[in-house]
Every structure is written in structure tokens, then in C-alpha cells.
Amino acid sequence: MGEAGPLFEIQYLKPETTVIGLTGPLSAGCSTIAEYLERGKGYALKRLSDIIRKELREKDGIELPEPRQLQDKGDELRGTHGHDTLVRSVFKDLFEKKPERIVIDGIRNPGEIKYLRKFSGFFLIGIDASREERLRRYRIKTGSPIPDQDFFGIDERDSGKNQQENGQNVTRCIDLTDYQIINQEAWDDDLTVKEKLFKKVELLLDLIKEPGSVLPSMQQIGMHLAYSASLMSPCLKRQVGAMIAREVESDKELAIAIGYNRPPDGVKNCFDRFHGCYRDLLKDRMENKLSEEQEKLTTGLNILLEEKKELSTQLNDRIGESFGNLKKSFLSDPELKQLDYCQAIHAEESAILQIAKLGGVSLGGTTLYTTTFPCIMCAKKIIQTGISKVVYNEAYPVIQAKELLSRALGAENLIRFEGVKALAFFKLFQSNRI
């Protein structure tokens, strides 16, 4: 792949240029919004997947690539030419045309976002839907009866599970968005659903054109405060924030507590105590134990082979004995339950305990805003304290916790956040007239 020509932001970008990026999992609706911006709003559309398809066609002779082939080639290109290579290549064609409105579809790696953040007029939209609904759409769109597990495998890789830094990581990309849209409804037989989706896009376009033209909703304020609280977390893995609010009148809430994941008062954080995450230290110990057991097993097998005895029965016996001991060792090892050994109070716990520490008020009927979906330990505390609604921003919540909260609070009171996110809050809601 060649270079994209002269540096885009120096040679071409004008202050009024708007660059909108789209990220989201397979069949979430990114392409639909991209086409709407192109046909209805005059945006120059560039798809990162088109660059990958071109490479597969010209270098590998593949005309109709499967999803896994696209994933493999995308990883290869980012690994060879840099994590931002696909977005850099986008501007090679645009350099001559110099459009003032650009939409880039198919952002799947945080390195691509990092590059695009150089442009003051860049905004990233995240589009999401449940895996089940996306699978249904994918089957209709492609006409392929793809098995559930095959689709889930592609989707998990796309989300970033067990991937290298040059791989796809849509989950992290959605974390970094400026504006989030939940596209859960199907418009197969109801085009008004599609119109509602486009109205959500229009809201962002209005704010880009005239910041502060629309006031933030209570949900947007609540999630902004939760994200602000998360910045105080010293956690080396993930900063999480939470805020509890009580409705005082229609569409008006007051914050009564905030929290973030942190050690208890008076306890040093993991970096100060261990120069790393304590849970990572536990994982290393467990990995060492596995290696030791594997070495014992290998040594035993080698001895049997050297003695040239009847191997079948003895091998089975030795393998059974070794793995039996391994299971007993790990099932009885307290380090197996690593969450119990995490040094931090979770953000939701921290907010709830703040109420108790400062004198306490009833949490009955309140709303919890949290940057991630609660774990099952926090879910039990949420139910017990009477919190009645949870607004969260997490692509893949813990199933057991979601089921528990759904039964106790009602599925309608578990609300996936939608709207302007913290990174763009002041940029979009602070009026230029001030």
C-alpha cells in the first residue's frame, strides 16, 4: 500500500471541514447511516472495507471475500503498515477533490480513531444492536443461513476478544465514540423506524452545525457525570464511573452520589503496591502452575516411551491421574476466584457506600448511571438498596447480572445509553455565542 500523499491535515483540511467516522459491529447499521449521509447530506463516502477488498482482489485474487478473509487482511495491513494505515489511505483519493464533508465507514481499530482525532472537525458515531438482531439482519442481507456459532465467532473477533493491537476492537472503538446510537428496532415492515434512526443522526448534525442549539437530556448529563467520575480511578485495567440520581420533578434529576473503582480508603492502589495489576500477578501464578503440571505430564510420558511398555493403558491412566490432580489443585486454589481478590471497590459500590458514609438517604426509586454494566456482585447491591433504574454504556453486559437485574427491576428499566458522550460533551453543547 502506498502513502496517502502529503499530510492531509496540513495540505488540505479547512476549519469548516467535517469528518464523521462510523464504528459498530457487523450489521449494526453503519452502512445504512453512511449511505444516508452520502445521498441525503452530500458527504463523500469512503469505506475502509473497500481498501481491504481491493488488496484481496489485486494481491490475492479473491473477488468475493468471506468475513474472516476481510478480518485477516485488515489485521495484516495494520500490522505491516501501522494501525492507522486504512484511514491514511482514505485521503489519497480525497486529496484532489477536497470535499468539506466526509464520512468514513468501517472504523474497527483504536489506532484509526487516534489518527482522525487530529482533525478538529472529526466526530465518531457508534451504532450498536443486540447480537441476535444483527444475526437476523445479516442472514437477510446476505441470503446466507450462517450458523449461530459461526456468526458469533466472527463477531467476537470483531469485538476485540483475544486480538492483537493491530486487530479489530469494535468494543474499544465504541467506548471512544462521541455519539452513540442504539439501532435495535427492525424496519422490515415499518419504514417509520428507519426515519427515527435518521432523526438521531440529524440531531448530531444540528449540534455540529450549531453547538448548543439543543440542550442535553438528563441521561446525557448523568452519563457525562459518570464518565467524569471514572477519570479519578487509579485502576490500571479499566476506569469505571457511576452516579446515582433522584428525580425531583419531571425530566429533572439531582445527583446524590458519585463513585469510581478504587481501593478502600487508606489502601494503596495496585501500582503503588505491586507495580502492576494484582489480578495479573495471580494469573501469572496460575499459568506457572499449569506449566509445572504440563512438564510433569510430559516427563512421565517420555519415561513410558523409553521403557517401551504397553503404552495404551498406562498412558490413559497417567493422563487421567495427572489431569485429575490438576483439577483438584485448581478447584481448591483460592486464587481461582480472582474477582474476589481484586483490590478495588467497584464504581457502583463506591457510589452506594458514599451514601452510607455521609449519613445516608433512601436509594429507593433512584437511577444509577454507570459507564459499564454492573457485575453480579454490584447487581445484588443495586437490587437490595432499592435503585429502580440502571442506565449503562456497555456493548456486552455480563449475562448473569443482566438476567438478575431484569427479573428484579424489569427489562424496561435497564437502559442502554444513547446520545452525546463525554468526549464531545462541551464541544457539542457549549454554544459558540458564549
Side-chain angles (χ1 to χ4, degrees):
M1 294 177 65
E3 290 299 320
L7 282 175
F8 176 75
E9 64 269 28
I10 295 173
Q11 301 288 340
Y12 156 44
L13 189 68
K14 301 176 182 177
E16 62 269 24
T17 301
T18 300
V19 181
I20 291 181
L22 300 173
T23 187
L26 195 63
S27 296
C30 291
S31 295
T32 300
I33 292 177
E35 290 166 5
Y36 171 71
L37 289 171
E38 180 187 31
R39 297 172 184 174
K41 300 298 175 180
Y43 278 71
L45 171 60
K46 288 293 181 180
R47 302 184 192 277
L48 299 189
S49 61
D50 287 343
I51 300 171
I52 300 174
R53 291 175 191 277
K54 182 180 179 182
E55 286 284 319
L56 284 168
R57 184 172 59 252
E58 295 179 353
K59 302 291 179 60
D60 302 281
I62 300 174
E63 292 291 337
L64 298 173
E66 298 290 329
R68 292 188 187 280
Q69 292 173 314
L70 289 167
Q71 291 176 325
D72 290 342
K73 180 58 72 172
D75 290 359
E76 177 189 325
L77 293 174
R78 284 186 292 265
T80 303
H81 302 285
H83 298 174
D84 58 1
T85 186
L86 297 178
V87 289
R88 282 191 287 110
S89 296
V90 159
F91 299 116
K92 185 176 181 180
D93 294 334
L94 297 178
F95 184 73
E96 295 297 328
K97 300 175 183 177
K98 296 180 173 57
E100 293 188 359
R101 285 176 292 183
I102 304 163
V103 56
I104 301 174
D105 185 19
I107 293 171
R108 279 176 156 69
N109 183 279
E112 296 160 354
I113 299 171
K114 184 178 180 180
Y115 178 81
L116 290 166
R117 288 285 182 210
K118 296 177 182 180
F119 312 144
S120 61
F122 171 66
F123 296 90
L124 182 62
I125 302 177
I127 304 97
D128 206 357
S130 70
R131 181 178 280 175
E132 292 72 22
E133 173 60 21
R134 292 187 290 105
L135 171 57
R136 188 191 69 82
R137 293 174 190 169
Y138 183 82
R139 285 172 172 162
I140 293 174
K141 181 179 179 180
T142 63
S144 166
I146 183 172
D148 292 11
Q149 290 307 312
D150 288 356
F151 181 85
F152 295 162
I154 295 168
D155 195 50
E156 285 193 348
R157 177 175 175 180
D158 203 36
S159 73
K161 186 175 181 179
N162 299 322
Q163 298 304 299
Q164 301 295 321
E165 288 188 2
N166 60 301
Q168 294 91 327
N169 194 337
V170 171
T171 300
R172 178 58 179 154
C173 289
I174 289 178
D175 282 345
L176 297 171
T177 54
D178 300 302
Y179 190 73
Q180 184 157 288
I181 294 174
I182 307 304
N183 181 28
Q184 182 62 25
E185 295 182 83
W187 57 68
D188 303 27
D189 301 313
D190 187 357
L191 293 180
T192 61
V193 174
K194 201 171 188 177
E195 291 171 3
K196 286 193 295 183
L197 173 66
F198 295 151
K199 285 181 180 178
K200 294 175 183 179
V201 180
E202 290 282 356
L203 177 60
L204 174 62
L205 297 180
D206 289 343
L207 285 169
I208 292 173
K209 183 178 180 181
E210 187 180 352
S213 58
V214 178
L215 294 177
S217 67
M218 287 308 307
Q219 278 196 17
Q220 289 174 130
I221 291 174
M223 192 58 70
H224 176 63
L225 290 174
Y227 268 103
S228 297
S230 74
L231 298 180
M232 294 186 282
S233 170
C235 183
L236 299 171
K237 287 293 186 184
R238 193 173 196 184
Q239 294 176 301
V240 182
M243 190 273 281
I244 300 175
R246 184 181 298 283
E247 187 176 58
V248 292
E249 57 185 78
S250 180
D251 294 326
K252 184 178 180 181
E253 294 178 332
L254 293 178
I256 59 176
I258 61 170
Y260 52 94
N261 54 323
R262 61 180 179 85
D265 293 341
V267 177
K268 292 182 179 180
N269 61 53
C270 286
F271 182 80
D272 290 338
R273 294 180 68 191
F274 312 110
H275 298 289
C277 175
Y278 183 57
R279 289 171 63 191
D280 280 350
L281 295 179
L282 297 183
K283 286 182 181 179
D284 289 343
R285 292 178 191 174
M286 293 175 70
E287 186 174 354
N288 289 337
K289 289 180 181 179
L290 276 170
S291 297
E292 290 172 4
E293 292 295 332
Q294 184 179 6
E295 186 176 347
K296 291 177 184 177
L297 177 60
T298 302
T299 301
L301 292 175
N302 287 335
I303 291 172
L304 286 173
L305 287 170
E306 288 173 4
E307 294 175 355
K308 296 182 179 180
K309 295 182 178 180
E310 294 294 329
L311 296 182
S312 179
T313 302
Q314 295 187 45
L315 281 174
N316 288 330
D317 290 345
R318 184 65 64 90
I319 291 171
E321 180 183 354
S322 295
F323 277 93
N325 292 335
L326 184 64
K327 288 180 182 179
K328 289 179 183 178
S329 173
F330 274 78
L331 288 174
S332 62
D333 195 330
E335 292 178 0
L336 184 63
K337 299 179 180 180
Q338 294 180 38
L339 277 177
D340 295 342
Y341 283 80
C342 179
Q343 304 295 294
I345 298 170
H346 290 190
E348 302 91 331
E349 289 180 299
S350 180
I352 291 169
L353 291 171
Q354 185 183 109
I355 297 290
K357 186 173 183 179
L358 297 179
V361 294
S362 170
L363 295 183
T366 58
T367 298
L368 172 73
Y369 293 90
T370 177
T371 59
T372 67
F373 197 88
C375 70
I376 196 160
M377 292 186 292
C378 289
K380 290 184 284 187
K381 295 178 177 68
I382 289 166
I383 295 167
Q384 189 65 20
T385 54
I387 293 171
S388 62
K389 187 185 299 182
V390 176
V391 181
Y392 65 96
N393 184 39
E394 176 74 51
Y396 298 101
V398 177
I399 297 300
Q400 294 86 348
K402 187 173 183 180
E403 290 175 350
L404 183 64
L405 285 169
S406 294
R407 289 197 300 269
L409 308 185
E412 70 279 6
N413 289 316
L414 299 180
I415 301 170
R416 180 86 187 276
F417 174 75
E418 190 171 30
V420 176
K421 294 179 66 178
L423 285 173
F425 197 82
F426 283 97
K427 192 174 180 179
L428 291 172
F429 285 128
Q430 187 169 350
S431 173
N432 288 335
R433 296 189 299 270
I434 297 177

